[in-house]
Amino acid sequence: MSGISRFNDKAQGWLFDPNRLAPTYPDSMITRPFPFNAYYGEGDVREVDGDAWRLEVTGLVADRRNWTLADLRAMPQQQQVTRHICVEGWSAIGKWGGVPFADFLRRVGADTSAKFVGFKCADDYYTSIDMATALHPQTLMAFRQDGDVLPAPNGFPLKIRVPTKLGFKNPKHV
């Protein structure tokens, strides 16, 4: 699986256009309920205490402090209605709200010459995205879905929403 993932990363990097936006949709096209997807069953979703949760920022950044949900919610936010495309062959349209990831990276003083940004998740998932994708205007640190708090099955407390990539590059429970 990791070999296929590396191959996919290289192919997507070659094809990726940082100036091209993913299609957006009207609210009338939102898939409700939004499907659950993970490498485990929905009954096995780990509960994360949002009050105790902290986003640990490490690596090539100037500001390494930990962030709370309140800190993130205090930043300027955007909404988008975009399609989630699963590698398993299905897709769904969702409405996501949160902080543009590029804004967050600038705020923490990230070295944008780095090649990748990595994510460790509460469900033991790990993935990375290339820096061009991280800086894409539609890549979002989503903590809202369909106008409400992001539900646990879809990634509470924080999901990195990357509408220009397949679903497995959209880590949940970050």
Side-chain angles (χ1 to χ4, degrees):
M1 180 71 151
S2 63
I4 291 171
S5 182
R6 282 191 300 276
F7 171 78
N8 184 57
D9 286 345
K10 286 181 184 178
Q12 285 191 37
W14 181 70
L15 296 170
F16 182 70
D17 179 351
N19 300 309
R20 185 172 181 205
L21 297 178
T24 57
Y25 302 90
D27 284 6
S28 62
M29 293 183 69
I30 294 171
T31 305
R32 294 184 180 103
F34 194 84
F36 170 78
N37 67 312
Y39 63 91
Y40 47 84
E42 191 167 357
D44 296 322
V45 171
R46 294 194 183 162
E47 293 296 321
V48 176
D49 179 353
D51 293 332
W53 176 87
R54 299 292 181 270
L55 176 64
E56 182 181 359
V57 180
T58 63
L60 301 174
V61 297
D63 181 356
R64 293 177 180 238
R65 75 179 177 98
N66 292 338
W67 288 70
T68 66
L69 280 173
D71 294 333
L72 292 174
R73 289 178 180 142
M75 291 184 68
Q77 299 176 36
Q78 291 180 359
Q79 285 193 119
Q80 61 180 240
V81 180
T82 52
R83 183 179 301 276
H84 175 95
I85 301 173
C86 183
V87 70
E88 295 171 345
W90 59 268
S91 69
I93 296 172
K95 184 175 189 175
W96 311 96
V99 175
F101 195 40
D103 293 353
F104 180 77
L105 291 174
R106 282 189 281 277
R107 170 63 184 81
V108 298
D111 178 353
T112 57
S113 69
K115 292 186 179 195
F116 296 96
V117 177
F119 304 96
K120 291 182 185 178
C121 307
D123 61 0
D124 298 324
Y125 188 72
Y126 176 86
T127 194
S128 61
I129 57 175
D130 59 275
M131 186 58 76
T133 299
L135 296 173
H136 190 274
Q138 288 176 306
T139 301
L140 197 64
M141 299 174 77
F143 40 80
R144 299 192 64 76
Q145 182 181 2
D146 208 6
D148 292 319
V149 172
L150 183 66
N154 293 334
F156 181 85
L158 181 68
K159 174 185 184 80
I160 304 300
R161 180 68 190 120
V162 187
T164 58
K165 300 290 184 197
L166 293 173
F168 75 99
K169 287 296 186 178
N170 288 244
K172 303 187 299 187
H173 316 290
V174 174

